[in-house]
Amino acid sequence: KNEVEQSPQNLTAQEGEFITINCSYSVGISALHWLQQHPGGGIVSLFMLSSGKKKHGRLIATINIQEKHSSLHITASHPRDSAVYICAVHPNTGNQFYFGTGTSLTVIP
Amino acid sequence: KAGVTQTPRYLIKTRGQQVTLSCSPISGHRSVSWYQQTPGQGLQFLFEYFSETQRNKGNFPGRFSGRQFSNSRSEMNVSTLELGDSALYLCASSSIGTFVGETQYFGPGTRLLVL
């Protein structure tokens, strides 16, 4: 059973396109994270959300607590955005950290 | 500030051996978390240390253990290695801990291969 589901698993886009990656979870949470992992393994924490919406440059993350759903949007995508994007949640109960399987994004020039 | 560093970066061991991985957090950070990433299971949380105490723990067997020193550096130990322990081991640091709602900063990882 996966507490966190991401879609799509793989995504190919043309440079400049608007991209949306979705994350659904099945447990009550205290926070949701979006992570970016480039080839080679390095991970960068993009956002941490407990409600509403956050924006950083061309990246926007939203969360709907009632629907147990979050989206990561990339506006004006660029080849350097090519990476795996991972959603992770902290449940309300228990000290755990559940991860989605990731969305592999390739942006073609 | 220097980022999170992990040593060694690559390691090859054989089944039954033990291994110790090291993580040096960003200066001033007191929380260090460890994660395992495999192609089959993805990312999984191992444990978090804060001020030399294990504060949170994931669902891994007792062969996986860790500790944190007074300078916040952390080590992770895996005893009696199994083939399935082959993975990328990542550590991440933050000031007071990601479980209290803080962003964490990841190291480059240690890639362990068990033969």
Side-chain angles (χ1 to χ4, degrees):
Chain A
K1 161 171 134 24
N2 292 329
E3 290 80 6
V4 181
E5 299 279 355
Q6 285 185 238
S7 64
Q9 280 192 324
N10 296 286
L11 184 55
T12 301
Q14 291 288 331
E15 182 173 357
E17 283 187 8
F18 181 86
I19 288 161
T20 295
I21 299 170
N22 296 298
C23 174
S24 296
Y25 51 91
S26 58
V27 296
I29 67 168
S30 58
L32 181 144
H33 296 250
W34 281 103
L35 309 173
Q36 179 193 57
Q37 185 171 31
H38 280 283
I43 292 180
V44 174
S45 180
L46 297 174
F47 294 104
M48 186 181 59
L49 296 161
S50 55
S51 65
K53 175 179 173 177
K54 286 191 177 180
K55 184 176 190 290
H56 186 258
R58 295 180 295 104
L59 301 177
I60 303 166
T62 63
I63 188 168
N64 185 316
I65 295 294
Q66 287 71 33
E67 294 187 3
K68 292 187 166 63
H69 182 268
S70 175
S71 293
L72 176 68
H73 306 285
I74 304 176
T75 61
S77 59
H78 190 277
R80 65 174 174 266
D81 297 326
S82 297
V84 175
Y85 293 83
I86 300 167
C87 171
V89 301
H90 288 155
N92 275 333
T93 57
N95 291 324
Q96 254 292 6
F97 204 172
Y98 297 123
F99 293 88
T101 53
T103 295
S104 179
L105 170 65
T106 302
V107 181
I108 300 168
Chain B
K1 269 187 185 176
V4 179
T5 59
Q6 291 187 245
T7 57
R9 294 292 311 278
Y10 304 92
L11 203 49
I12 300 175
K13 291 284 189 180
T14 55
R15 275 182 300 175
Q17 287 187 312
Q18 74 161 10
V19 66
T20 298
L21 312 181
S22 180
C23 173
S24 293
I26 290 171
S27 177
H29 285 188
R30 294 161 63 192
S31 167
V32 174
S33 296
W34 287 90
Y35 303 89
Q36 182 197 64
Q37 186 176 37
T38 60
Q41 298 294 320
L43 267 168
Q44 296 183 88
F45 169 69
L46 280 156
F47 29 65
E48 183 208 12
Y49 283 85
F50 181 81
S51 292
E52 302 180 62
T53 301
Q54 187 181 87
R55 189 162 65 173
N56 296 292
K57 189 177 187 304
N59 297 324
F60 275 80
R63 299 185 299 107
F64 292 82
S65 63
R67 61 178 175 167
Q68 188 179 34
F69 301 95
S70 58
N71 62 357
S72 294
R73 187 178 71 87
S74 177
E75 288 182 346
M76 191 195 90
N77 184 273
V78 187
S79 62
T80 319
L81 283 165
E82 301 176 359
L83 295 179
D85 297 332
S86 294
L88 179 67
Y89 290 89
L90 293 150
C91 79
S93 77
S94 61
S95 294
I96 57 173
T98 187
F99 281 86
V100 295
E102 193 183 33
T103 296
Q104 53 186 338
Y105 298 85
F106 285 82
T110 293
R111 198 167 291 278
L112 172 65
L113 176 62
V114 181
L115 301 175

